[in-house]
Amino acid sequence: MAKIRVSSEYSEAEDKSIRLGLFLIACGILSLFILGFCWLSPTLHSLQSKPANCTVVSVLRPEEMFECIFTCGSDCRGTSLYPCLQIFVNNSESNSVALLHFDEQQLVLNPKCSYVPPCERDNQKNRDSVMWWEDYFNKEVNSQSFTCFFNQQRRPDDVLWRRSHDAGVLLHCVLWPTVSLLLGTLIVLLTVCTRSLAARAEALQKRKCSYEVCQDLSAAASPSEHGALKVVGSDALATNSAEPEAASPSRNLPLFDVPVRRRDREH
């Protein structure tokens, strides 16, 4: 029996859907690595800090000035100066005095100061920004207790006023790459399964059609076979009836008069 061949090639639409799925998988893996290195690691370190109650001990403004870099266009950069503001607080976790920082970014920019202002070209604007926070902590906060974040293992001498990264950042870093990865995998699997089911249905259809064609051919060939058998039977009978005639020599040989021998008359 001949084998039924089924086309296993993907159509243009199926090929495009598979490429889309592979692209989404690659984007998910790449974004997971990028976000993991850029955002996930700092977020995990930020979440390790525990909340504590802090009270202001002293607010100082040393004479030391620090430089910052400002931008005034695509090709315009410069440096300006700002005064250092130091806010010392007492946290309830370690019961010790620590330097307060606004967030992790400012702690990395300048570990000696509590606040790093947005860098302006004018030094006076930078000074005014620092003076505003100095007045705020001296007059508004003063000895009131507020929530701060403390990490005993990483920086026992520093506390943070707020976190730069929270659980929402961690959720976005994991959620969107995972969604892209799962969506691409789902598209590829659905396309492959659809093609496999279509190939099986095509094979079953071809088998059914070939079976029906064979039945039709056998039904069409059966009357002619009976007619051929009848013709063969009649020819055989005619041959059998002709054979005895050919075998009898009396019909083929000429007939001669047989002389009769007469007896002599007795006298």
Side-chain angles (χ1 to χ4, degrees):
M1 183 177 180
K3 294 183 178 180
I4 299 175
R5 295 183 179 180
V6 180
S7 176
S8 59
E9 296 181 357
Y10 291 97
S11 63
E12 185 177 358
E14 292 171 343
D15 187 53
K16 288 182 178 180
S17 62
I18 289 179
R19 289 182 181 180
L20 177 61
L22 294 177
F23 176 75
L24 290 176
I25 292 174
C27 288
I29 295 174
L30 185 62
S31 60
L32 186 62
F33 277 104
I34 294 175
L35 294 177
F37 283 111
C38 296
W39 292 96
L40 190 59
S41 180
T43 302
L44 291 176
H45 288 306
S46 178
L47 292 177
Q48 289 177 358
S49 58
K50 298 179 180 179
N53 292 324
C54 293
T55 54
V56 177
V57 175
S58 62
V59 179
L60 303 177
R61 185 164 50 84
E63 296 297 330
E64 185 179 2
M65 302 288 287
F66 291 89
E67 291 184 352
C68 63
I69 299 175
F70 65 89
T71 58
C72 51
S74 59
D75 297 329
C76 178
R77 288 186 178 183
T79 58
S80 60
L81 299 176
Y82 68 93
C84 180
L85 177 65
Q86 293 179 342
I87 303 171
F88 292 94
V89 296
N90 184 14
N91 68 86
S92 60
E93 286 290 329
S94 63
N95 198 18
S96 61
V97 178
L99 181 62
L100 179 67
H101 298 275
F102 270 52
D103 52 24
E104 292 93 344
Q105 294 180 357
Q106 295 202 359
L107 174 61
V108 173
L109 287 176
N110 193 344
K112 296 181 179 180
C113 300
S114 297
Y115 174 69
V116 179
C119 193
E120 298 288 343
R121 190 169 185 174
D122 188 4
N123 294 336
Q124 186 61 37
K125 292 183 178 180
N126 296 331
R127 184 182 180 87
D128 293 341
S129 178
V130 173
M131 293 293 293
W132 189 90
W133 284 107
E134 181 182 2
D135 294 339
Y136 175 79
F137 277 94
N138 280 326
K139 298 177 180 180
E140 298 293 335
V141 179
N142 199 2
S143 59
Q144 295 181 5
S145 177
F146 61 92
T147 303
C148 61
F149 300 94
F150 176 69
N151 193 337
Q152 180 69 36
Q153 287 75 22
R154 294 190 64 195
R155 293 185 177 273
D157 297 330
D158 299 302
V159 293
L160 301 176
W161 190 27
R162 64 186 66 171
R163 288 172 175 172
S164 299
H165 310 285
D166 55 0
V169 177
L170 180 64
L171 177 63
H172 288 290
C173 289
V174 177
L175 177 63
W176 299 115
T178 306
V179 169
S180 178
L181 185 62
L182 292 178
L183 185 60
T185 306
L186 184 62
I187 290 175
V188 173
L189 289 178
L190 287 178
T191 305
V192 173
C193 292
T194 303
R195 182 57 193 166
S196 178
L197 293 176
R200 290 185 179 182
E202 185 180 356
L204 291 176
Q205 186 67 23
K206 286 186 177 181
R207 287 182 182 178
K208 182 178 179 181
C209 292
S210 62
Y211 178 72
E212 292 178 355
V213 168
C214 290
Q215 283 187 342
D216 294 340
L217 290 176
S218 61
S222 57
S224 60
E225 289 179 358
H226 289 299
L229 290 175
K230 289 181 180 180
V231 172
V232 170
S234 61
D235 292 342
L237 291 176
T239 304
N240 292 331
S241 61
E243 285 180 356
E245 294 178 356
S248 59
S250 59
R251 294 182 182 180
N252 295 330
L253 296 177
L255 297 177
F256 298 96
D257 293 334
V258 179
V260 179
R261 196 173 184 181
R262 296 179 180 179
R263 296 181 179 178
D264 295 336
R265 292 181 180 179
E266 295 180 358
H267 298 283

